[in-house]
Structure formats: C-alpha cells, structure tokens
Amino acid sequence: MTSVQVDKHNAGNEAVSDAGEDSEGYKRGLGARQIQMIAIGGAIGTGLFLGAGKGIAKAGPSLILAYAIAGVVIFFIMRALGELLMYRPVSGSFSEYAREFIGPFAGFVTGWTYWLFWVITGMTEVTAAATYMTYWWDIPQWVSALVFTLILYGVNLISVKLFGELEFWFSMVKVTAIVGMILICAGILTMGFSDAGDTASVTHLWDLGGFFAGDNGIGSTLMTLQMVMFAFLAVELVGVTAGEAKDAKTVLPKAINTVPWRIAVFYVGALIMILSVVPWTSFQEGVSPFVKAFQVMGLQAGAGIVNFVVLTAALSSCNSGMYSTGRMLRDLALNKQGPGFFTKLTKNGLPLIGTSFSAAMMLVGVWINYQWPGEAFNYVVSFATISGMWAWIIILICQIRYRLKSDRGELPKSTFRAPGGIWASIFSLAFIFMVIVLMGIDKDARVSLYAAPVWGVILGVAYAVLKARNPEGAAFAKRK
C-alpha cells in the first residue's frame, strides 16, 4: 500500500469513527457507559453462576488457577481484536477481518458460524430463563420462553440505544451480585458472622487435599479448561458493537483494557472468597456455587436472589444473541454471502429482517426443547462451545496477518497495538487448540467436535452453490 493509499485509509477510518452514521448505515447509538457494561457483562454469565459448581467439584481450588490462565489468553484475544478494531472498526468485525486477511470463504464460514453460535445460545438461554421462572410461579415453560423472546425481540427493534440500556442494567445486576458476594465473604472472614463464620478460613484453599485436589491432580484442572473457556464465550461481543459505538476509537480500547480486572475480580476474586468461606468439598455439579454459599452461610433468601441474577444472565445472553445475529446476517448479505433481503434497515438503522429471522430460529429451539428434551437437544447445544471458539481463532489469525502487513508498511499501523505482538496470538492459538484436544479426550464434551465437521460440510456445499450462481460476488466478497 502506498503512502497515499495509507492516508486515504486512515481518513476513511476517522470518518467511520466520528460520524453519527457510518457507511454500513447503522446509527451510532451506543455510548461509553453502555459499551463498558456490555464488555463487562459479556464475561459474566451462567458459565460462572451455574457452571463453576461442576468445575469446583472436579478440580477443587485449582479451578481458580484455570480461570486465571484462561483469563490471560482471553486478554490476548481481546487485545488482538482491539488492534483490528482500531485499524478498521466495522459491525461485522470477525467475518470482515476473516474476509480481508484470510479470504472470502473464511469470511463466509466465520459469519455463519458466529450467527449459529448465538442462535444456539439464544435457544438454550431463553429456555433456561423460562425454567428459572418456575422458582416463583407454576406456569408452563413455553409461555415464559415465548414472552421473553418477544420482549427482547421488540427491544432490539426499537433502537440500538434501548438494547444498550437493557444490556447495561442486565450487566449491572450481575456485577452487583458478584461484588455483594465478595463483600459478604470478606466480612465473614474478618468478623466471623453467619453460620459459616466459625469455619471460614483461607486455608480451605490448600488444606482439603491440596490446591490440586481433583482425582487426577493437575490433570483434573486441565480437564476443566473447556468449561472455563465456555464461561468466557461472548466476551468478544464488544467487537460487534464497533459499527454502532459513539467515538469507537476512544470507547472500545477503554472497554477492552478492563478485561484483566474484570477476570481478576469477577472470576478469580469471587472464587477465592467463596472457597475460603465454604470448603470446596461442599460443592457439586448442577448446583450454583453462589446458591450453595448462601445456604452454608444460613442466608436462605440468597437462593432467590441468585435465581434472579441467573435469570438476568440468561436474558442478557439472549438479548446479545438478538443483537449480534441480525448484524452478522446483514454483513454476510452486504458481501453477497447471504440473502440480499438481510441488508435492509429500518428508519432507526436496525436490521429488521435479520433479527426477525434469528428470533424465529430461537423460537424453533424452544419448541424442539419442549418436544425432545433429551440428549439430542443437548448434543446440539454442545456445539456452541466450538463455534464460539472459532471466532477467537479467526481473530488471532487475522491479527497475526495484519500485524505482519502493517510492520512491512503495507497497511497503516493500528493506534491500539496488542502487547506481545504476533507471539501472544500464537501462544493463544496453541492454548485454544490444546483445549480442543482436551475436549476430544472428555467423553462428555467430545460430541461437540463431531458436529463441527458436519457444519463445515454444510457451509462448504452452500459456498460452492453460491459461487456457482454468483461467481463475482463469491470471489470478490471483500467490501469495496
């Protein structure tokens, strides 16, 4: 790229960052407060509130180390994404970068895979939310699922600002719950109140069988990494907001730089405090560690509080799914890799048809869950983990290729360069592939790897048909 081309590219990026609307047609309605909370909330979900119980029972206190190590990898992934976003902030970020730095087929696969990830996640989360409602009211599960889906669908069709506001408050509930739990545990450790006051001690972290207390020691810790990575899925959602963020070049780096303390406080910090107050041997799979901790403390009302928090976490995830799927479908359509009608926007700059189609698919999932609640549906759900990690792999590969090109002067350098450069991304890729290998070893997680090749074949056939029908659109998918 010549110096003139670099200057033009930079000027184009400035226009995208500062304008009220960008070339994609979206309204920039997400402010700094909302972006920050979307970034925070993306890392906190049912994987922590519910899934951590299984990890504690499996690996003991060493689960804390698993979250810490995985958190470092997540930070590298997010900084790699941040470098790309400051190079070119666009709403269809993952598929756009895959299209530019790998090829049109990679953009096609990434866009549709990330769409599928959020549709599946939406299916499971709205069903989970309906299940949580039965804690208070004895109403049919499908009724709650339908009501929640319609409400979130309506929110996503009013304005992007309303979506951001709802996500802000969903995230606020989750953050408040974790901070509250940390403060209560700190009070118990220092002042000894509640039923757990006499036995609470930080020595629980190493006295009961050691820090690596799982049946297989460090091996048990390694086998929890797949569950830990699942808990972090959706942290990359902040990248999808790039096309609708006000002052993206200022807001997005600030949000990404909060990743280390978010993980340190909400995962590592929370688990250290809970496992210091309640012995790790008290936890079991299928029971929220937060609920169990409240019960041991003698605070029975805590169970209802945690149920409300987990409900908001599920609705937050479904809300994010509604948001991201419509944008991803529109990006695919704009590049002639999806039906053209997905490109249409409402007067408020919202992808009506893409969001509607995705919401309909989520409702199909609720119906499937109602009809066949057995293992078949669980197998489909397990694919969410591998499809979500695909986006991370693409981000890292694209950052490596972009950094090499920018260092050679072929592209302008990003204003938010990732620490560690390509080596941090290579390390993160190796870590992700290690997790995939571990998933293949674990018989419960292995099924998700069976689904990946099937999905790959479907996409390969679809792309071949698309290319045959419209060779120019498929071959030159990169947006002009």
Side-chain angles (χ1 to χ4, degrees), residues 114-122 234 237 317 320-321 324-325 362:
Y114 198 65
W115 171 82
L116 180 67
F117 161 67
W118 274 113
V119 166
I120 293 175
T121 301
L237 180 66
S317 182
S320 297
S324 59
T325 51
M362 291 178 189

Side-chain angles (χ1 to χ4, degrees), residues 127-142:
T127 304
T131 303
Y132 303 145
M133 288 297 292
T134 60
Y135 180 86
W136 296 291
W137 295 287
D138 184 20
I139 55 178
Q141 184 172 308
W142 70 268

Side-chain angles (χ1 to χ4, degrees), residues 80-115:
L81 175 59
E83 181 169 333
L84 292 168
L85 286 172
M86 292 305 99
Y87 152 69
R88 190 160 69 93
V90 288
S91 187
S93 59
F94 318 130
S95 58
E96 278 289 305
Y97 301 137
R99 199 171 290 120
E100 177 176 356
F101 294 107
I102 304 176
F105 181 64
F108 177 80
V109 171
T110 301
W112 282 106
T113 300
Y114 198 65
W115 171 82

